[in-house]
Amino acid sequence: MSDTKVLSYLGLSMRAGKLLTGDEIVHKAIRSGEAKMVIVAGDASGNTQKKFRDKCATYKVPLLIGLDRDRIGSSIGKDTRVVLAVTDLGFAKMISKQVGIMSEVEYIE
C-alpha cells in the first residue's frame, strides 16, 4: 500500500497549523494533552522510539511508528523530521484511517 495519502495529510495539517515538530515540543504537547497523535519515523533510533512509545502509552496518545525521516520532512516542507505531533483530532482520525490499510507502519493505540 502507498503512504502518499498519509504524507499529504501531514502536509495539509502543517499548513493548517495543526502539527508540531521537535523532541521537546512534542513531549510538552503529550504532557499537556494537546497532542492527538504522535508520529515517529521508522528509521529513528531505538531509544527515541522507546521514549515516545512509553510517553504515549502513559498519556494514552495514539502513536504511529513508520515512514522515514526524509519523506516526513519533505511532506511538511522541512528538513528531515523524526517526531511530529498532530494537534487536531480530525487530522489524527484521517491519518489513523489510512494507517489501517498500510502494511509498512507499526501503529500502536
Side-chain angles (χ1 to χ4, degrees), residues 5-62:
K5 281 193 174 184
V6 171
L7 293 170
S8 75
Y9 289 155
L10 289 177
L12 186 60
S13 61
M14 182 68 173
R15 289 188 299 279
K18 303 296 183 183
L19 197 71
L20 302 173
T21 68
D23 195 270
E24 284 304 313
I25 293 169
V26 172
H27 264 119
K28 188 182 285 187
I30 294 169
R31 285 191 299 266
S32 71
E34 185 181 6
K36 306 304 181 210
M37 170 184 269
V38 173
I39 300 168
V40 177
D43 56 353
S45 71
N47 187 38
T48 299
Q49 290 183 18
K50 181 183 180 337
K51 178 170 55 172
F52 282 99
R53 182 178 280 128
D54 294 346
K55 186 65 77 176
C56 287
T58 300
Y59 287 90
K60 310 245 185 302
V61 176

Side-chain angles (χ1 to χ4, degrees), residues 45-92:
S45 71
N47 187 38
T48 299
Q49 290 183 18
K50 181 183 180 337
K51 178 170 55 172
F52 282 99
R53 182 178 280 128
D54 294 346
K55 186 65 77 176
C56 287
T58 300
Y59 287 90
K60 310 245 185 302
V61 176
L63 173 69
L64 177 122
I65 298 176
L67 309 170
D68 66 77
R69 64 180 76 204
D70 294 324
R71 291 175 52 203
I72 290 172
S74 66
S75 74
I76 63 171
K78 305 280 184 187
D79 290 334
T80 60
R81 298 295 164 170
V82 174
V83 62
L84 306 170
V86 179
T87 60
D88 181 78
L89 192 57
F91 283 118

